Amino acid sequence: MASLIFIYIAIFFTASSPLLANAISQCNGPCNDLNDCSGQLICINRKCNDDPDVGTHICNSGTSPSPNPPSGPCQPSGTLNCGKNSYTTYSCSPQVTASTPAVLTLNDFSEGGDGGAESSCDEEFHDNSELVVALSTGWFSQGSRCLKTIRITASNGRSVIAKVVDECDSMHGCDKEHAYQRPCDNNIVDGSAAVWNALNLNQDLGRVNVKWSMV
């Protein structure tokens, strides 16, 4: 009889406790907010992943790059304080070569999307079906690459040609113009959904190592 009572209590507690019903998620586990992820993980696109602000590599399996940009000869230019967080800023990017390593991120260039204001090269919004990108401040080079095309190649061998329409600002952020997002790292190719689809990449990853070159 005591055993039956214990089982009944255990079942009742499990069903009624939100903490047990919504277990803390591990890497790539489902989440709705920051409290759903264990340890130093953060909820990105409804999946628990490494927090780029903390710099963890718990979920890094080789497909997801480190959130910290390679500096090399390009040194930080300062720090931007955003509330309780501070971010390293860059006015430069790694040297452009015939096959420049970069991190591909996902951006919504449409009106009301996470890109913020209109694209700086043409002062227009762009549909998610367009093959467009923004480049980190150094690579954007004060607009000298505006409306030019680059080839982006993923590790799966697929490549796509996309048009540069905006700057992924490595100096400023955390304001309305930048959709209240943190400054970009200095090695970013910020691509539309169409770019990710053309490369056959899972958009839920958020960050993927690629290489790019001028066309």
Side-chain angles (χ1 to χ4, degrees):
M1 182 66 177
S3 297
L4 291 174
I5 293 174
F6 176 80
I7 292 173
Y8 173 79
I9 292 173
I11 293 174
F12 174 79
F13 183 78
T14 301
S16 61
S17 173
L19 293 177
L20 291 179
N22 299 304
I24 298 296
S25 288
Q26 303 296 323
C27 290
N28 298 314
C31 60
N32 291 313
D33 56 48
L34 299 180
N35 296 324
D36 290 341
C37 299
S38 64
Q40 293 180 304
L41 302 182
I42 190 172
C43 190
I44 302 176
N45 296 323
R46 295 186 178 274
K47 287 189 177 181
C48 293
N49 212 326
D50 289 311
D51 187 343
D53 295 336
V54 177
T56 55
H57 305 281
I58 303 168
C59 302
N60 189 349
S61 61
T63 56
S64 252
S66 164
N68 297 320
S71 54
C74 174
Q75 297 300 314
S77 60
T79 301
L80 179 67
N81 293 319
C82 301
K84 296 181 179 179
N85 299 317
S86 61
Y87 302 103
T88 302
T89 58
Y90 290 86
S91 60
C92 58
S93 292
Q95 182 179 0
V96 175
T97 65
S99 184
T100 308
V103 173
L104 178 68
T105 54
L106 179 65
N107 190 22
D108 183 351
F109 292 86
S110 64
E111 186 170 7
D114 54 19
E118 298 95 330
S119 298
S120 59
C121 289
D122 54 14
E123 298 184 352
E124 294 181 2
F125 292 105
H126 292 271
D127 191 80
N128 290 320
S129 62
E130 295 184 56
L131 295 168
V132 292
V133 298
L135 296 178
S136 290
T137 294
W139 288 338
F140 188 67
S141 188
Q142 297 182 329
S144 67
R145 290 193 168 92
C146 264
L147 305 182
K148 294 184 178 180
T149 54
I150 66 171
R151 182 184 301 277
I152 306 163
T153 304
S155 59
N156 60 13
R158 297 185 65 123
S159 65
V160 63
I161 293 176
K163 182 168 64 175
V164 178
V165 297
D166 206 357
E167 174 186 8
C168 193
D169 201 330
S170 306
M171 291 290 295
H172 310 93
C174 307
D175 54 19
K176 184 177 181 180
E177 180 183 353
H178 299 88
Y180 299 100
Q181 297 190 63
R182 52 161 290 181
C184 280
D185 292 331
N186 70 341
N187 62 339
I188 298 296
V189 174
D190 202 20
S192 64
V195 170
W196 282 70
N197 292 337
L199 294 173
N200 196 28
L201 295 174
N202 182 359
Q203 296 178 23
D204 289 339
L205 292 175
R207 300 169 65 96
V208 176
N209 285 323
V210 295
K211 293 183 178 181
W212 71 275
S213 59
M214 298 300 301
V215 175

